[in-house]
Amino acid sequence: MSLLPLDDHPGPLPAGSPAAPSPAPACSASACPDASACPDASPARSSSTSRLLPRLLSLLPLLLIAAWAAFDWRTVYDGAARLAAADPWWLLAAVFFTCLGWVCAACVRQGAIPDRLPPGLLLASQFAAGAANHVLPASIGAHAVTVRFLQGRGIPLSRAAASLALYSLVRPIAKTAVFLVFLLAFPDLVRLDELVPDRRTLLLGASALTIGLTAPLLLVAAVPPLRRPALTFVRTALTDARRLHTMPARVLALWGGAAATPLLQASVIFCVGASLGLPMTWAQVVFAFLAASTAVGAVPAPGGIGPVDAALVFTMVAFGAPLGLATATVIGYRVVTVWLPLLPGAFVLSTLVHRKVL
């Protein structure tokens, strides 16, 4: 009598035996109309979404820049037409000082945080931050790129935010110090009564400064859930600031870079003006830029475009420059510092997002 294995038993299973589990049907559009109820479809869909989202985010800067270029194409056309007849060597010098500005920005960012950052990626992030800075107002784009970069390096959000606060505080202080040095070094450079704003403008500026300082304090006092995060942020910022100022290399990078930034920007304006025949010295251009950016630099505009441009043209005319030539110089300055690096900066930003550096 031959014995058959239990698995190959041809007859029916005995009564009371558990039935063999049947294989689960494959999920398809016809068999599973509700994709959210299908266990196999949800991970596939989430995986596809997670792959598609970084690609869309990497293309977002290019789309924003294309929209901005279509909206402000007249500025690009006029600036390019005037620069076509300019001295190319002076324009090359302007491009050189523009590149030094990105290096200087990377130095200030490194000086605002105790942790050592990779120099190459830091410089690339600041180049990309320049493109984002000219799309969103009040440096929001540049700060957002920097925060993502710092978080990618393992720095907590609280310390990254404290670094941005220190960076935002040091830059205007350093610019004002450089402006005062120019006032003391060149007392007869310009008749200050032509540049001092009237009483109404001073009152508006003082009111805006008062509101900007008191509004956060009142908000924290009125909303109790904000007190603990605010105190944690202040404690973190003070701790990092004290630690940074015990490191000479960080102090030099922070304050030296912040002081050199407006000088480099003014040097770009001087080179563009010299290429067009602007009758102003380097000291006059630096003084005009410092006066204009200090007066209206706090107005929230993308990259300072608009208010700073108008104030810069006004101060240059106060020095005796022709209105048309001063306007052409400012337009050329924006073309060199904004429009020429904008598309490469957007590509770098997209690449950093795609590679998950940001």
Side-chain angles (χ1 to χ4, degrees), residues 23 36 78 98 110 116 161 174 180 185 188 190 205 256 265 289 302 308 321 336 346:
S36 61
D78 293 342
T98 301
Q110 175 62 87
R116 182 172 177 80
L180 294 177
D188 300 328
V190 66
Q265 293 172 334
F289 175 76
V308 174
V336 172

Side-chain angles (χ1 to χ4, degrees), residues 283-318:
Q284 290 175 328
V285 172
V286 172
F287 190 90
F289 175 76
L290 290 173
S293 58
T294 302
V296 297
V299 177
I305 297 175
V308 174
D309 292 347
L312 183 56
V313 171
F314 172 77
T315 52
M316 293 172 73
V317 171

Side-chain angles (χ1 to χ4, degrees), residues 3-315:
L3 297 178
L4 292 175
L6 182 60
D7 295 342
D8 297 331
H9 197 283
L13 292 175
S17 299
S22 60
C27 291
S28 61
S30 59
C32 189
D34 188 7
S36 61
C38 184
D40 295 334
S42 180
R45 174 172 293 185
S46 62
S47 177
S48 176
T49 304
S50 63
R51 288 195 302 267
L52 182 61
L53 185 59
R55 296 179 182 178
L56 294 177
L57 291 177
S58 63
L59 293 177
L60 182 60
L62 301 179
L63 296 178
L64 292 176
I65 289 170
W68 189 30
F71 178 77
D72 201 21
W73 68 271
R74 175 59 63 179
T75 301
V76 183
Y77 177 80
D78 293 342
R82 290 184 177 273
L83 290 178
D87 187 347
W89 293 107
W90 279 112
L91 293 181
L92 186 62
V95 173
F96 172 73
F97 285 116
T98 301
C99 296
L100 286 183
W102 297 320
V103 177
C104 193
C107 290
V108 180
R109 295 291 188 182
Q110 175 62 87
I113 196 162
D115 307 76
R116 182 172 177 80
L117 303 173
L121 289 178
L122 177 60
L123 182 59
S125 70
Q126 294 311 295
F127 182 59
N133 189 42
H134 294 303
V135 176
L136 299 176
S139 300
I140 295 177
H143 290 338
V145 171
T146 303
V147 166
R148 292 297 301 169
F149 173 74
L150 294 179
Q151 287 186 297
R153 308 280 72 77
I155 297 174
L157 179 59
S158 59
R159 296 188 58 230
S163 171
L164 295 185
L166 181 61
Y167 172 87
S168 302
L169 179 64
V170 166
R171 287 194 63 180
I173 293 176
K175 181 186 291 186
T176 304
V178 173
F179 182 57
L180 294 177
V181 169
F182 263 77
L183 284 178
L184 297 177
F186 304 97
D188 300 328
L189 190 62
V190 66
R191 295 190 300 272
L192 294 179
D193 56 344
E194 297 182 359
L195 296 178
V196 174
D198 55 14
R199 181 177 301 178
R200 181 180 178 182
T201 304
L202 290 175
L203 182 60
L204 289 176
S207 301
L209 180 62
T210 303
I211 294 174
L213 293 177
T214 57
L217 298 178
L218 294 177
L219 182 62
V220 171
V223 183
L226 294 179
R227 294 175 187 174
R228 182 181 296 275
L231 291 176
T232 302
F233 169 76
V234 172
R235 190 180 300 111
T236 302
L238 292 178
T239 301
D240 279 1
R242 284 195 301 265
R243 181 183 174 189
L244 282 170
H245 286 82
T246 61
M247 307 167 67
R250 295 292 189 273
V251 174
L252 179 61
L254 179 63
W255 291 98
T261 297
L263 298 178
L264 291 174
Q265 293 172 334
S267 298
V268 176
I269 300 173
F270 171 75
C271 291
V272 174
S275 69
L276 298 173
L278 184 70
M280 291 179 63
T281 63
W282 179 80
Q284 290 175 328
V285 172
V286 172
F287 190 90
F289 175 76
L290 290 173
S293 58
T294 302
V296 297
V299 177
I305 297 175
V308 174
D309 292 347
L312 183 56
V313 171
F314 172 77
T315 52

